[in-house]
Amino acid sequence: MVSSVTRTSGIAGNSASEANGLGKRIESSFVLNLLPLPANPLFGTDGIRGRVGELLSAPLALQIGFWAGIVLRNHATSLGPVILGQDSRNSSDMLAMALSAGLTAAGLEVWYLGLCPTPCVAYLTSISDAIGGVMISASHNPPEDNGIKVFAANGGKLPQLLQAEIEAGLRGKISTAATESNCGRHYSRFELISHYGEALRKPLHGDFNLEGMKIVLDLAWGAAVGLAPTVFTQMGAEVICLHNEADGDRINVNCGSTHLDILAATVQEHNADLGFAFDGDADRVLAVDNTGRQVNGDYILYLWGRHLQQKQQLPDNLIVSTVMANLGFEKAWKEIGGNLIRTAVGDQYVQAEMLRTGGMLGGEQSGHILCRHYAVTGDGLLTALHLAALVKEGGVSLAELVEQSFQTYPQLLRNVRVIDRDRRLGWKDCQPVQKAIALAEAAMGDSGRILVRASGTEPVIRVMVEAANAELANHWTNELVSKVQQHLMD
């Protein structure tokens, strides 16, 4: 368990009577002062996310903090702190302070970590007496976006029922009476991040190390800039870092897990063994092998799954992935006795299915990988360490491991920016688009697969076409993107 907070490190407060009166006034004001909110639900597949200054603002973050605090407090068996972390975006400081103000107004203690990966918040929440955690990040989104992710006391994503309660409070559908308790307190607990770093290394116990390996890390100007190089260096690897400063203007810009070209070139230039690219909050990772070839989440799941399968550590030989998982991956995994369950896109759906089935390994093609042997949520640093260990233990290069695994079906994914939220989320009601999808599915039959969906994290419609050959995939992708642009864009 994480040690209790040293009270003298906190921010000094008013007297007890003044704090009680202030608590009453603050709680009452939250009930009375409602903010204008969009008609559609605020919580998407990964918390509340949007453009700062449009959807996300300090007043909204203040109220989210308050209502999240009320809901977490009401469902807690005993009162503990809320752990708060953030990425490097310019808006993250503002949102962190507003959230902390709301949480303390709800009578809670806040342990503020500052800059850290999202899985750090989840881990520390799970091992302490915290009643929940909050991370401020928009993950792989551009710098002008931000987001608020709320974790339950077990470190997992907050259940949808509790998300709905928070949103009901924000919309004025429920109220809370003023309490007699003092306002909460805010404590800086930067030192707790080291507990997470130790937990990352612990599973790779004994005399194992990464000595002799040269590894390139693309840190995306984001949350892992301080921790990732330290952890890999402590494991004995020679580390080359890219985009390794906290920079809110450049987070995710032409780097990280959505832009692997610079990483691939650097791996080849330095004759490195492999490279890893993280997103802004380091809950996802993609790899590059020693030849510069990109290695996505499907390959990571297959390789890690086979490793666990061989050690008889994978119940029912089950991997949980999403509808985006490549058909080539699915067929190859089944050929070696594996089972694959697909869920909707979003790591919360993968995690829920893993808990339902008892699955121990799951994730997404985009690099969200969850291994319940070692973590309570998707963790980019943990995944990278284990993939590097797998390569060293195997005595062969990552390129050779990939060659021995499977061949992907050609799969094209195009994002069509649709700013209008109602049009984007209501795309299924657009008949011309539905007719185009039906035509494409009929034409490809069993030789292809189509997935169209509104992103839960960005203002885009995602169009994915997978086919037996690249020509078919390209043709039907262009057809569907054209229909979306014609009928859904402003």
Side-chain angles (χ1 to χ4, degrees):
M1 300 291 284
V2 175
S3 60
S4 61
V5 67
T6 303
R7 299 296 174 180
T8 56
S9 67
I11 300 172
N14 297 317
S15 68
S17 61
E18 289 175 325
N20 280 335
L22 181 60
K24 291 178 183 178
R25 292 195 297 275
I26 289 175
E27 289 211 22
S28 298
S29 71
F30 278 92
V31 175
L32 295 173
N33 299 331
L34 297 178
L35 297 172
L37 298 174
N40 290 300
L42 292 176
F43 282 90
T45 56
D46 204 12
I48 298 173
R49 191 176 296 189
R51 187 68 57 93
V52 176
E54 294 178 7
L55 176 63
L56 281 180
S57 63
L60 178 60
L62 185 72
Q63 294 210 21
I64 292 170
F66 175 78
W67 285 108
I70 293 295
V71 170
L72 290 171
R73 187 179 71 184
N74 287 345
H75 288 271
T77 56
S78 60
L79 198 59
V82 173
I83 295 178
L84 176 63
Q86 66 174 79
D87 70 12
S88 61
R89 294 167 202 275
N90 293 336
S91 59
S92 290
D93 286 347
M94 171 190 75
L95 295 175
M97 295 304 100
L99 278 160
S100 183
L103 289 163
T104 53
L108 295 177
E109 187 172 284
V110 175
W111 291 2
Y112 176 59
L113 304 178
L115 183 71
C116 67
T118 290
C120 178
V121 173
Y123 171 75
L124 291 173
T125 301
S126 73
I127 66 163
S128 70
D129 60 355
I131 63 171
V134 181
M135 178 68 184
I136 300 153
S137 177
S139 192
H140 62 282
N141 282 32
E144 58 269 21
D145 291 346
N146 216 325
I148 298 170
K149 309 178 185 183
V150 186
F151 294 92
N154 63 2
K157 297 292 180 69
L158 193 69
Q160 292 184 354
L161 181 63
L162 301 194
Q163 292 180 10
E165 288 187 26
I166 295 172
E167 187 153 342
L170 292 169
R171 295 184 184 278
K173 295 180 180 179
I174 60 173
S175 62
T176 180
T179 69
E180 295 297 326
S181 63
N182 291 335
C183 289
R185 302 289 297 275
H186 175 107
Y187 297 91
S188 294
R189 297 299 307 269
F190 309 134
E191 80 283 0
L192 296 180
I193 296 174
S194 64
H195 290 269
Y196 169 63
E198 292 168 6
L200 289 172
R201 300 190 303 273
K202 187 175 180 179
L204 303 172
H205 53 76
D207 297 328
F208 180 81
N209 58 61
L210 299 177
E211 289 181 5
M213 296 191 76
K214 185 185 295 185
I215 298 174
V216 183
L217 304 178
D218 183 345
L219 304 167
W221 309 113
V225 294
L227 192 59
T230 300
V231 169
F232 274 89
T233 300
Q234 288 174 338
M235 287 297 297
E238 178 183 347
V239 178
I240 299 167
C241 291
L242 302 171
H243 316 117
N244 58 329
E245 296 178 3
D247 191 329
D249 290 318
R250 293 188 286 179
I251 184 171
N252 296 322
V253 177
N254 298 321
C255 61
S257 62
T258 55
H259 298 83
L260 299 181
D261 291 347
I262 296 176
L263 175 63
T266 305
V267 167
Q268 292 179 291
E269 176 187 352
H270 291 273
N271 195 29
D273 292 283
L274 70 168
F276 295 108
F278 304 94
D279 62 345
D281 67 336
D283 65 350
R284 71 166 71 179
V285 67
L286 293 178
V288 167
D289 69 19
N290 49 298
T291 70
R293 177 174 48 189
Q294 298 180 11
V295 180
N296 67 20
D298 286 349
Y299 283 105
I300 294 172
L301 285 171
Y302 180 91
L303 295 174
W304 202 354
R306 188 174 62 182
H307 179 73
L308 293 172
Q309 181 191 49
Q310 290 169 348
K311 292 190 172 185
Q312 297 184 331
Q313 295 178 355
L314 196 64
D316 298 324
N317 294 326
L318 174 64
I319 291 177
V320 178
S321 191
T322 75
V323 291
M324 292 297 294
N326 194 276
L327 280 172
F329 161 43
E330 180 178 9
K331 290 185 175 182
W333 180 240
K334 288 182 176 179
E335 285 175 1
I336 61 171
N339 298 309
L340 182 73
I341 295 177
R342 295 177 183 265
T343 73
V345 174
D347 61 319
Q348 65 172 317
Y349 302 115
V350 173
Q351 185 176 42
E353 185 65 17
M354 291 173 68
L355 292 172
R356 187 188 72 82
T357 60
M360 298 301 290
L361 180 66
E364 299 185 274
Q365 191 182 78
S366 60
H368 277 117
I369 308 296
L370 173 60
C371 186
R372 292 178 56 218
H373 290 296
Y374 311 114
V376 295
T377 190
D379 192 324
L381 292 180
L382 179 76
T383 300
L385 281 169
H386 281 264
L387 186 59
L390 191 154
V391 170
K392 184 170 184 184
E393 285 181 0
V396 296
S397 68
L398 180 57
E400 291 175 278
L401 290 175
V402 169
E403 286 291 339
Q404 296 165 9
S405 59
F406 63 90
Q407 293 294 318
T408 59
Y409 277 40
Q411 186 184 79
L412 293 182
L413 175 64
R414 294 267 296 277
N415 294 327
V416 184
R417 195 169 183 85
V418 179
I419 301 298
D420 188 295
R421 183 182 175 92
D422 292 334
R423 287 189 186 183
R424 184 171 73 251
L425 297 182
W427 71 270
K428 291 182 180 179
D429 296 326
C430 181
Q431 290 305 308
V433 171
Q434 291 294 341
K435 289 180 180 178
I437 293 172
L439 178 63
E441 288 177 336
M444 289 195 297
D446 294 336
S447 64
R449 196 166 64 93
I450 293 169
L451 178 65
V452 179
R453 66 182 183 89
S455 170
T457 59
E458 298 177 84
V460 298
I461 298 286
R462 303 198 195 279
V463 177
M464 188 276 285
V465 177
E466 192 171 82
N469 61 70
E471 185 178 352
L472 269 178
N474 187 62
H475 170 76
W476 289 113
T477 299
N478 290 336
E479 287 291 317
L480 294 175
V481 165
S482 176
K483 290 295 182 183
V484 172
Q485 291 172 334
Q486 182 180 350
H487 296 282
L488 293 174
M489 290 179 64
D490 296 337

